[in-house]
Amino acid sequence: MQSSALFRAASVAAIVASVALVLTTGSAAQGGAPQAQPQPQGGAQQGQPQPQGGAARQGGGGPGVGGPPAPNPRQKDFPYPVVRDQRGCCPAGPRAVPSPPLGAGPWTFQTTEASIKVSIVARGISHPYAMAFMDDGAILITERIGKLRVIRNGVLEPDSPAPNMPPMIYRGTEAGMMDLALHPDYAQNHLVYFSYHKPIGDNLASNAVGRGRWDGKQLVDVKEIFLSDDVDTEVSRIVFGRDGMLYMTIGSPGTGQPEAVARAQHKNDYAGKILRMRDDGTVPPDNPFVNDKSYKPYVYALGFRNQLGLAVNPFSGDIYAGEQGPNGGDEVNVMKAGKNYGWPLASYGRDYNGPRFPASHADKGFEEPVIYWVPSIALSGMTFYNGDRFPNWRRNLFIGGMREGEMSPTGQLVRVVFNDKWEELRRESLLRDLHQRIRDVRQGPDGNLYVLTEENDSALLKIEPADSAPQTR
């Protein structure tokens, strides 16, 4: 037992030491030659998504976490492990308890500052990731398997409104079709942007951004505008900032070999970064590192683990990003150009085997999170509320949670209240009694909140004001 504990502590120390070596010696510590810069792929050949169900995660640890990963012929092309060795990363835990079936509803709940009614808009969605509201009343939803779905008048249509999507790779919870964002001039150009994982051969994939034009029935003129040249990266979110630029998160390995986890601090690597690009996928000339050849040009900020939430604060214009920590240490950060947010040199969480990561951020020159959780809630999509239907909820941030404290079923929707300086005052957990994993939350054009659950049989829920009736279940 004592030797096992020493090994676990040593693994965290090895990760921190590996990253410190990168910071001390520069990009050469990553090994290999600098990689070619990504180019927009607007003319890439289009095709049907090719789901790859059954793999544990993109770049995962081979045949289960008990054995070594199989060698990959592309390893020579990359300066980091393209397949993670997950042996010993996570101790055995209790069997995951599935979420109970969601009833027919509706449900009413008396929350701290509002009485709410929760109802099902549509169900039968398979592992969704994001939603977007069209000006014609349609709601677009991404399914991670590589499908775009549409809901009209409360009905989930059986056919995809995007038959010509680019190839996508789907693996477990961390790869597939990801986020949606509407162009700032959507009312004029009807452009819809989406992020996904594109297969590049040899069972590898890279994060990509595509766009198409919504014609009221289908997404047409679909093309790829950005392709990362890194692999074994995880989820992504996209959002347009007030500056008209598209911001994109790319997740970094959170477990595996120290040299894999260290990638969030590598300058010449898009893992664990926020990217910033023009609406055509090209590099803006004012990106913070565009003239520093040791960085990849799209990098806007660095030092992140796996960011599953991204939202613009409509009151301040700041971009907030939600990051899943390890065992504890989920964070919400305010994005600042050129800043480093610390992972894995600083985290309020623990390694899955127990040892703590160094918690201090500011005294190492890293940005402190504005919100963090211990234990983690497995945070996901998030949005600010600026509508009129819930006056007491204006200026509040809503964050989806899929599992609290490594136990299930503990999904929830978290409401965070700020003061005038955007400092946290209090938080409230909502929808706990439904016991559903919450994947995304958005404010609808009607001023209500809409929530996507994360299940085999997922649902789109609407949260609207209720009368003063007592809470029911």
Side-chain angles (χ1 to χ4, degrees), residues 426-442:
R426 57 189 178 272
R427 64 182 77 169
E428 179 181 21
S429 295
L430 310 173
L431 309 188
R432 278 184 176 271
D433 289 343
L434 298 183
H435 300 287
Q436 302 292 299
R437 292 158 54 85
I438 305 301
R439 171 60 76 181
D440 198 18
V441 55
R442 306 280 172 110

Side-chain angles (χ1 to χ4, degrees), residues 117-139:
K117 174 185 175 182
V118 181
S119 57
I120 297 174
V121 177
R123 61 195 315 164
I125 311 163
S126 176
H127 297 290
Y129 195 83
M131 62 183 130
F133 294 89
M134 304 292 101
D135 56 1
D136 59 2
I139 304 172

Side-chain angles (χ1 to χ4, degrees), residues 355-392:
R356 294 183 183 275
F357 284 88
S360 177
H361 288 64
D363 66 359
K364 294 186 177 72
F366 303 133
E367 296 298 302
E368 288 279 356
V370 295
I371 309 166
Y372 68 89
W373 283 262
V374 178
S376 291
I377 60 166
L379 65 72
S380 56
M382 63 190 198
T383 195
F384 284 88
Y385 186 75
N386 66 345
D388 297 323
R389 301 221 66 197
F390 297 99
N392 292 336

Side-chain angles (χ1 to χ4, degrees), residues 136-207:
D136 59 2
I139 304 172
L140 297 186
I141 293 177
T142 61
E143 292 181 332
R144 290 202 317 273
I145 196 170
K147 288 184 178 180
L148 187 66
R149 307 296 300 274
V150 63
I151 295 173
R152 297 180 193 272
N153 302 316
V155 177
L156 178 67
E157 296 187 353
D159 297 325
S160 171
N164 296 311
M165 296 295 278
M168 300 180 191
I169 196 166
Y170 167 58
R171 287 180 176 148
T173 61
E174 302 296 352
M177 192 173 187
M178 302 268 101
D179 209 4
L180 290 169
L182 304 186
H183 191 279
D185 295 325
Y186 172 81
Q188 287 73 45
N189 60 32
H190 289 88
L191 290 179
V192 178
Y193 290 71
F194 56 93
S195 60
Y196 61 101
H197 291 84
K198 177 181 178 177
I200 63 168
D202 294 304
N203 204 30
L204 299 176
S206 295
N207 293 77

